[in-house]
Amino acid sequence: MSLPNNILLIDDDKINNFLNEKLLRKVGTFDKISIFLDGESALHHLQREAAKGNDSPELIFVDINMPIMNGIEFLENYHH
């Protein structure tokens, strides 16, 4: 089983993002880990990347309780 190369972390808690990124980097080598503090900014990023023809993340960690756009709203609006 190979590890994902493109990971997205979405959490409004900067400490959680920091710790999750450190843990992921300790577990394996990843080409790209993108971090966002809310679902809306993550969604806009994914839409821009898709428009450029870039690959979607292979793994997404999303917090459910966030301001602006929570995790459920993000998942409802994200179309791979």
Side-chain angles (χ1 to χ4, degrees):
M1 181 175 107
S2 64
L3 294 173
N5 289 318
N6 187 356
I7 297 175
L8 188 65
L9 300 176
I10 310 168
D11 194 327
D12 61 322
D13 187 326
K14 292 179 183 181
I15 294 171
N16 281 346
N17 286 328
F18 174 80
L19 294 173
N20 286 329
E21 180 181 18
K22 290 291 183 191
L23 177 65
L24 287 167
R25 296 226 182 261
K26 190 171 188 167
V27 170
T29 303
F30 302 101
D31 290 338
K32 184 176 181 183
I33 298 177
S34 301
I35 299 173
F36 295 92
L37 298 175
D38 64 82
E40 185 177 70
S41 60
L43 191 60
H44 289 168
H45 166 77
L46 291 170
Q47 290 167 342
R48 285 190 306 271
E49 292 298 305
K52 294 178 191 174
N54 293 334
D55 293 333
S56 297
E58 296 169 279
L59 183 61
I60 299 175
F61 292 92
V62 62
D63 182 20
I64 298 301
N65 188 18
M66 295 182 293
I68 303 172
M69 177 185 280
N70 67 40
I72 300 296
E73 292 168 329
F74 168 81
L75 293 172
E76 289 173 345
N77 287 283
Y78 176 61
H79 303 284
H80 180 318

